[in-house]
Amino acid sequence: MRIAVTGSSGLVGSALVRSLAADGHEVVRLVRRAPRGPDEVRWDPHGGTVDTAALGPVDAAVHLAGAGIGDRRWTAAYKRELRDSRVLGTAAVSRALAALRPAPRVLLSGSAMGYYGDTGEREVDESSPPGTGFLADLCTEWEAATTPAVEAGIRVAHLRTGLVVSRSGGAWGRMFPLFRAGLGGRLGSGRQYWSFISLTDEVAAIRHVLDHPTLSGPVNLTTPHPVTNAEATKAMGRALHRPTFLAVPPFALRIALGDFAKEILTGQRMVPRALLDSAFTFEHPTIDTAIAAALDG
């Protein structure tokens, strides 16, 4: 297939591009700078434009671009950046794909576990309603921005991804050095659920959704075995042979992270119902195997 990908330089995007290219697919990367090769096409998420003439026909698109959730302290300005980079960017991609002739068969658009808000002990699957809070509102608006693609008859799937376990980036990537130094510990009470997925399974799941025409709408990209933050902390300690008796109190999180602290102290206990019902098999289903895979990778 000829597949357009945004966010191709990020943790998941770069791994996905390598996987697709290794299997002979032609990948066209949408970039915000001037293109440097024939496999790149210019787009402007904030301006709402995509160079569709250069893009040409594509069979599928995977839209993963957006400002990093945990990259900076949340201020009012950064929360606007988080929203605009996702909602405006998704709308631009959706309009561009809807205008192509022929239109692509499928658009996989990024979303996140934050859609469900704080679920406490309650399990949620793709049929569950949105929660409350900034991320829940953002995810709802983010997913709605794909409407032009849906109306054009393109199969659209929303990838509600959990915490990706990898040493190379993302939230987990920032934790590995802390735990190696013996500074890792639970966040707040540690009772909040963390729904996670290994980077290997994340890429495999995205490709699974690409290849299964029955999968549309929300798809939870997490393993079937969510753990609490305290359990994840203990698993990191076991894997790295480091103590994990420290705890970061909520007030310290608020000082360091701003409004993001509220989201860190909430949790989502997700079930990947759509993946399981479509016979997807996880290579690293437990927290211990996911961490081991990250250390081996």
Side-chain angles (χ1 to χ4, degrees):
M1 291 191 293
R2 190 168 192 265
I3 304 171
V5 178
T6 73
S8 62
S9 62
L11 172 67
V12 175
S14 57
L16 176 65
V17 168
R18 288 193 299 270
S19 175
L20 291 170
D23 284 345
H25 297 291
E26 180 185 357
V27 178
V28 182
R29 296 183 294 150
L30 272 62
V31 297
R32 290 174 292 174
R33 50 170 171 76
R36 296 172 183 166
D39 64 335
E40 295 184 346
V41 169
R42 183 75 178 268
W43 79 305
D44 178 2
H46 286 82
T49 61
V50 177
D51 187 351
T52 52
L55 177 61
V58 294
D59 300 295
V62 183
H63 173 48
L64 303 173
I69 292 291
D71 287 358
R72 288 169 47 188
R73 188 178 189 273
W74 279 17
T75 61
Y78 195 60
K79 287 166 74 173
R80 284 194 299 273
E81 172 64 18
L82 290 172
R83 179 203 171 274
D84 290 350
S85 67
R86 284 165 172 75
V87 177
L88 299 182
T90 300
V93 168
S94 297
R95 289 194 302 268
L97 296 178
L100 291 178
R101 295 293 181 271
R105 296 193 296 270
V106 56
L107 164 63
L108 307 190
S109 186
S111 187
M113 65 183 188
Y115 174 90
Y116 299 105
D118 189 357
T119 69
E121 295 283 335
R122 176 173 54 91
E123 288 188 343
V124 292
D125 63 17
E126 290 87 349
S127 66
S128 301
T132 59
F134 174 76
L135 281 182
D137 293 343
L138 171 58
C139 289
T140 301
E141 199 173 357
W142 188 5
E143 293 182 7
T146 61
T147 297
V150 174
E151 292 178 344
I154 299 169
R155 174 171 68 95
V156 175
H158 304 290
L159 307 176
R160 293 178 182 167
T161 297
L163 293 169
V164 178
V165 184
S166 171
R167 288 188 302 167
S168 303
W172 226 286
R174 288 186 285 276
M175 288 193 292
F176 273 103
L178 292 174
F179 277 85
R180 284 189 185 279
L183 300 175
R186 72 177 190 276
L187 303 179
S189 70
R191 292 193 295 270
Q192 65 273 30
Y193 269 89
W194 278 15
S195 291
F196 66 92
I197 188 169
S198 73
L199 180 58
T200 300
D201 283 334
E202 172 78 2
V203 171
I206 292 173
R207 296 199 55 178
H208 179 84
V209 179
L210 268 177
D211 294 339
H212 282 69
T214 59
L215 289 174
S216 62
V219 181
N220 289 345
L221 300 193
T222 62
T223 79
H225 306 293
V227 295
T228 65
N229 169 255
E231 291 168 335
T233 297
K234 291 178 181 178
M236 287 285 282
R238 286 194 300 270
L240 296 172
H241 308 290
R242 294 292 189 272
T244 58
F245 56 84
L246 297 176
V248 183
F251 78 86
L253 287 172
R254 287 192 290 271
I255 292 172
L257 304 176
D259 287 347
F260 186 38
K262 299 175 186 176
E263 306 290 347
I264 285 287
L265 296 171
T266 66
Q268 294 79 30
R269 191 176 183 179
M270 294 165 63
V271 177
R273 184 69 59 205
L275 288 180
L276 295 175
D277 288 349
S278 60
F280 178 76
T281 301
F282 290 89
E283 187 175 349
H284 310 294
T286 68
I287 189 62
D288 291 293
T289 57
I291 291 173
L295 291 172
D296 290 341

